[in-house]
Each structure stands twice: as structure tokens, then as C-alpha cells.
């Protein structure tokens, strides 16, 4: 390489390095920020979705229900690993279980509803899973929508991913319930449609 070519390469590297330094660095959110609270709450929320999926997979025979439960389990376990890493990086604690009122707004199942997935006959347990998961996902949309425009890119990306994936699963859950002639549970407070 001649001297002129080397100077061009060095100049390009210098400009590239300056542009990298000029990029805004992601700011660590404060422990009481909406972003940290969302990630903490969504971890608790995802934990329950995984629990419900595991419970129904132990009994379900319907292939559509089994396939959906497995998709939900694997997808939410992966997102939970991401969120756990973020909380560690931000020196923020894991979320605490919500009180009953907050749990209802999040669309979470009660302990008795979770137990029913173990005790109901197979067909009824499958239907109960679909109903509980539909309400659960509706709660996730309520939690995620306000954060889709977060200045924290990781959190905004997760909120958009949750909204897209669970919005699609809500449509699938609804169609599976209709095919069984079953009605959905009332949506969490604040949910105007679905």
C-alpha cells in the first residue's frame, strides 16, 4: 500500500472512531424508573406464563394447545434471560410479586386458577389455559404499550417485541377458544378491546 492509500485508510479510521465516540451511550436507568419497573414486572409476568405453559403441557392432548404452550414457554424463558441480565447490569433487584389489585391489572392468574390447570379434566384444563393465557397476554399489552417509546432502546425494543408477539398470540388464543365454543375471561381493567 502506498503512502497516500495509508493516509486515506487512517483518515477513514479516524472519522469512524470519532463517529463512534459521538454516539450517545445508553444511560443506565435509575432503580425507580418506569423502565426498571417494567422489566421487573414483566419478569414476574413471564414467570407465570412459563408456569402455566409447563402445567398445561403435562396434561394437554390437543396439538394446537401443546404447540402454543411450548412456543410461549420457550419465547418467554428467552426474554426472561435477557431481562435478568439487564437488571444485573443496572444493579436493580428482581421484581417482587404484585399485590392482588396490581396482579389483576396485569392479567395474572390467581393461585386457585393455576391449581385448576392440574385438577380439571384434560379438555377443560386446555380451555382454562387458553382463557387464562388470553387474559394474561392482554395484561402484558397494557404493561408494554407505554414503554414502546422509551428512550432506553433495549426496553423500547422489548416492549415492541412483547406487543407484536403477544398481540399475534391473542388472536390465536381467541380463535382456539371460539373453535371450542368457549368465551374469554373479562379483560384486565384498562383493556378496551380484544
Amino acid at each position: 500500500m502506498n503512502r497516500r492509500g495509508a493516509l486515506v485508510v487512517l483518515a477513514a479510521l479516524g472519522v469512524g472512531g470519532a463517529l463512534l465516540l459521538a454516539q450517545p451511550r445508553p444511560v443506565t436507568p435509575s432503580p425507580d424508573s418506569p423502565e426498571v419497573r417494567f422489566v421487573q414486572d414483566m419478569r414476574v409476568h413471564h414467570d407465570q406464563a412459563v408456569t402455566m405453559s409447563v402445567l398445561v403441557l403435562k396434561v394437554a392432548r390437543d396439538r394446537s394447545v401443546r404447540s402454543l404452550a411450548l412456543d410461549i414457554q420457550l419465547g418467554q424463558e428467552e426474554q426472561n434471560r435477557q431481562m435478568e441480565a439487564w437488571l444485573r447490569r443496572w444493579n436493580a433487584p428482581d421484581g417482587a410479586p404484585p399485590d392482588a389489585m396490581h396482579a389483576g391489572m396485569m392479567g395474572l392468574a390467581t393461585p386457585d386458577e393455576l391449581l385448576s390447570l392440574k385438577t380439571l379434566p384434560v379438555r377443560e384444563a386446555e380451555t382454562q389455559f387458553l382463557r387464562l393465557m388470553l387474559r394474561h397476554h392482554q395484561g402484558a399489552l397494557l404493561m408494554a404499550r407505554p414503554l414502546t417509546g422509551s428512550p432506553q432502546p433495549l426496553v423500547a425494543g422489548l416492549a415492541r417485541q412483547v406487543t407484536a408477539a403477544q398481540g399475534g398470540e391473542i388472536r390465536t388464543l381467541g380463535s382456539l377458544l371460539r373453535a371450542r365454543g368457549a368465551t374469554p375471561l373479562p379483560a384486565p381493567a384498562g383493556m378496551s378491546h380484544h
Side-chain angles (χ1 to χ4, degrees), residues 66-136:
R66 292 185 63 78
S67 174
L68 181 61
L70 188 60
D71 284 348
I72 290 168
Q73 178 192 348
L74 296 176
Q76 298 206 11
E77 282 175 342
E78 176 59 32
Q79 286 182 344
N80 250 353
R81 283 189 290 272
Q82 284 178 327
M83 291 188 284
E84 191 178 2
W86 298 346
L87 290 172
R88 273 199 314 269
R89 191 179 323 150
W90 300 337
N91 291 318
D94 255 351
D99 60 37
M101 189 183 83
H102 195 194
M105 290 165 55
M106 294 166 70
L108 293 176
T110 66
D112 285 346
E113 287 172 334
L114 290 176
L115 183 62
S116 71
L117 295 174
K118 295 181 185 179
T119 57
L120 286 170
V122 171
R123 177 95 178 156
E124 290 172 45
E126 292 170 347
T127 302
Q128 176 76 330
F129 168 78
L130 297 172
R131 296 174 85 213
L132 292 174
M133 193 60 78
L134 176 59
R135 184 183 67 195
H136 195 269

